[in-house]
C-alpha cells in the first residue's frame, strides 16, 4: 500500500536500477504527490515514527541484539549530506547513533587498506550508523583524480560488494543513498556559503575546481550505481535540489529499513510482578 503522500513508496520510486544520472531531474520529487508544505507536514509526522523505531532498535541493542542499520550518504559537495545528518539523524536519540565522516585519508589511514577506517567505524549492535561519505570515495574521487592506478581501483567494486554482503549477513541493514544536485543548484549553494559568514566554514576553494570535473564525477557515480547496487545492499538515488524532499525521502527509507527488522520491545529479564511487589514493600 502506498504511504501517505506517496503515490509510489520511496523504496520503489528511488531505486537506482537502470537509472541514468545524466537524465535525472534533480529538482524532481519521485513518488511524492504533494508540494513543499505537504512534504514538510508529513516529514514532521514521519520523524516521530523514525524516532520511535530507532528507540526500539537501541533498546534491543542494550538487551544483546546485534543487529544494526547503516545509512551510507554519498553526494557531491552541497548535495545536503550534512543536512541529513543534522535534520534527519538529528531527530533521533543521539545515544543510539554511531556517526562517522570520511575526508581525505590521514597519514595513518593511508598506511592501511582503504576499508580499514570503514571497518573501525561500523555501527555496534542496536545502533543507527551514519557515514557522511564512505568507502565509495575510493571509487569516486580516487577514480576521477587517478589517486591510484586503474588496476587498483577497478577491483574495488567487487571487493566492496563482498564486504557489504558480509556486513548484511552479520545483521547490518545497509541503506545506501546517493544525493544529486544540479550544477546550477550547486553554484547557488556555494555562493550562499560565500555570502554568509555563518557558512564560510563549509566552503572549500577546491570545491570550485571540482566543478570542472562534473562529467567525470557523473561517470564515476554511474559506474558505482551500476556495479555496487546489489540485492543485499541496493542504491537509492535522491534528487536533492529540494531539501524538504531529500529529507523526507531518506526518512522514509530509514523507516522502511527499521520496520523490516520487526522490532518488539525487549521482554523483561525479571519477574515484573515480583519486582513490583518488592518495590511496594520496600
Ligand atoms: P567534506 O565532506 O566537505 O568534509 O570533504 C571531504 C573531502 O574528502 C572530499 O573532497 C572528499 O572527496 C575527500 N575524500 C574522502 N575520502 C577520500 C579518499 N578516500 N581519498 C581522497 N579523498 C577523499
Ligand atoms: Mg565540503
Amino acid at each position: 500500500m502506498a504511504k501517505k503522500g506517496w503515490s509510489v513508496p520511496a523504496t520503489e520510486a528511488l531505486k537506482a536500477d537502470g537509472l541514468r544520472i545524466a537524465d535525472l531531474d534533480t529538482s524532481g520529487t519521485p513518488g511524492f504527490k504533494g508540494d513543499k508544505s505537504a512534504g514538510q507536514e508529513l516529514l514532521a509526522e514521519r520523524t516521530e515514527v523514525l524516532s520511535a523505531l530507532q528507540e526500539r532498535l537501541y533498546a534491543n541493542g542494550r538487551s544483546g541484539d546485534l543487529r544494526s542499520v547503516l545509512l551510507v550518504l554519498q553526494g557531491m559537495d552541497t548535495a545536503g549530506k550534512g543536512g541529513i545528518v543534522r535534520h534527519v539523524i538529528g531527530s533521533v536519540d543521539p545515544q543510539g547513533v554511531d556517526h562517522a565522516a570520511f575526508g581525505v585519508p590521514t597519514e595513518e589511514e593511508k598506511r592501511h587498506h582503504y576499508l580499514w577506517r570503514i571497518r573501525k567505524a561500523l555501527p555496534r549492535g542496536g545502533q543507527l550508523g551514519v557515514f557522511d561519505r564512505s568507502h565509495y570515495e575510493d571509487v569516486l574521487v580516487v577514480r576521477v583524480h587517478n589517486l591510484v592506478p586503474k588496476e587498483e581501483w577497478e577491483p574495488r567494486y567487487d571487493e566492496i560488494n563482498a564486504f557489504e554482503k558480509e556486513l548484511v549477513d552479520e545483521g547490518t541493514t545497509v541503506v545506501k543513498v546517493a544525493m544529486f544536485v544540479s550544477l546550477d543548484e550547486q553554484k547557488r549553494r556555494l555562493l550562499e556559503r560565500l555570502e554568509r559568514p555563518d557558512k564560510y566554514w563549509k566552503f572549500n576553494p577546491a570545491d570550485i575546481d571540482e566543478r570542472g570535473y562534473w562529467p567525470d564525477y557523473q561517470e564515476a557515480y554511474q559506474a558505482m550505481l551500476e556495479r555496487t547496487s546489489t540485492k543485499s545492499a541496493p542504491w537509492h538515488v535522491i534528487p536533492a535540489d529540494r531539501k524538504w524532499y531529500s529529507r523526507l525521502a531518506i526518512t522514509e527509507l530509514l523507516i522502511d529499513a527499521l520496520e523490516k527488522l520487526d522490532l518488539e520491545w525487549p521482554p523483561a529479564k525479571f519477574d515484573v510482578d515480583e519486582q513490583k511487589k518488592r518495590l511496594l514493600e520496600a
Side-chain angles (χ1 to χ4, degrees):
M1 206 185 73
K3 299 264 162 55
K4 188 177 168 193
W6 292 86
S7 49
V8 180
T11 45
E12 287 300 313
L14 299 166
K15 271 190 177 157
D17 307 347
L19 189 130
R20 299 278 324 152
I21 311 169
D23 302 335
L24 181 73
D25 174 9
T26 55
S27 65
T29 62
F32 188 72
K33 43 183 189 239
D35 59 6
K36 180 175 179 175
S37 73
Q40 286 175 328
E41 202 176 301
L42 181 60
L43 179 58
E45 242 175 69
R46 300 298 281 164
T47 295
E48 296 295 316
V49 174
L50 174 63
S51 178
L53 284 164
Q54 180 270 341
E55 191 185 358
R56 242 183 245 210
L57 176 69
Y58 181 66
N60 278 279
R62 292 293 300 263
S63 304
D65 193 331
L66 292 175
R67 291 177 300 168
S68 59
V69 173
L70 173 61
L71 175 67
V72 174
L73 296 171
Q74 278 297 155
M76 302 287 288
D77 268 296
T78 77
K81 303 181 294 298
I84 296 300
V85 174
R86 183 169 176 171
H87 298 282
V88 175
I89 304 299
S91 70
V92 310
D93 185 346
Q95 294 180 94
V97 173
D98 282 339
H99 168 266
F102 297 97
V104 177
T106 62
E107 284 310 312
E108 188 189 20
E109 287 168 350
K110 279 184 194 149
R111 286 197 294 273
H112 291 85
H113 187 270
Y114 69 97
L115 291 175
W116 180 74
R117 62 176 184 167
I118 303 297
R119 290 186 195 276
K120 281 206 305 177
L122 290 171
R124 296 161 288 162
Q127 299 291 109
L128 172 57
V130 52
F131 283 179
D132 180 344
R133 302 187 190 269
S134 66
H135 40 299
Y136 285 101
E137 291 293 325
D138 293 280
V139 289
L140 292 169
V141 66
V142 168
R143 169 174 167 155
V144 167
H145 291 289
N146 301 304
L147 300 182
V148 302
K150 184 174 184 190
E151 304 81 75
E152 208 170 311
W153 58 253
E154 179 66 36
R156 289 181 177 172
Y157 296 98
D158 291 341
E159 191 174 31
I160 287 172
N161 288 340
F163 166 67
E164 290 180 354
K165 173 148 196 325
E166 191 185 317
L167 253 185
V168 171
D169 288 347
E170 285 169 359
T172 299
T173 304
V174 181
V175 181
K176 299 193 295 198
V177 158
M179 303 173 73
F180 294 97
V181 282
S182 67
L183 200 51
D184 277 351
E185 179 63 17
Q186 191 196 48
K187 188 182 239 176
R188 211 187 54 73
R189 291 184 186 180
L190 286 174
L191 205 56
E192 194 182 0
R193 291 182 180 181
L194 289 172
E195 279 165 353
R196 287 180 44 181
D198 62 324
K199 297 218 170 188
Y200 292 164
W201 65 276
K202 290 190 190 181
F203 185 80
N204 176 355
D207 296 347
I208 298 177
D209 304 312
E210 287 300 87
R211 288 170 59 77
Y213 293 90
W214 199 264
D216 298 332
Y217 271 107
Q218 287 221 326
E219 192 184 319
Y221 268 98
Q222 187 70 44
M224 174 192 87
L225 295 178
E226 283 170 12
R227 299 187 60 182
T228 63
S229 200
T230 60
K231 201 156 170 282
S232 349
W235 274 107
H236 305 279
V237 169
I238 318 283
D241 284 1
R242 300 174 200 259
K243 291 179 181 172
W244 65 265
Y245 175 79
S246 54
R247 290 173 192 172
L248 175 62
I250 294 170
T251 299
E252 299 289 4
L253 296 177
L254 288 173
I255 288 174
D256 177 76
L258 285 160
E259 280 178 347
K260 288 194 170 121
L261 295 181
D262 243 336
L263 297 159
E264 302 288 341
W265 289 108
K269 288 175 174 156
F270 43 83
D271 182 325
V272 177
D273 287 336
E274 185 187 317
Q275 295 303 318
K276 240 189 236 167
K277 191 158 164 280
R278 274 186 66 219
L279 179 62
L280 293 173
E281 283 167 1

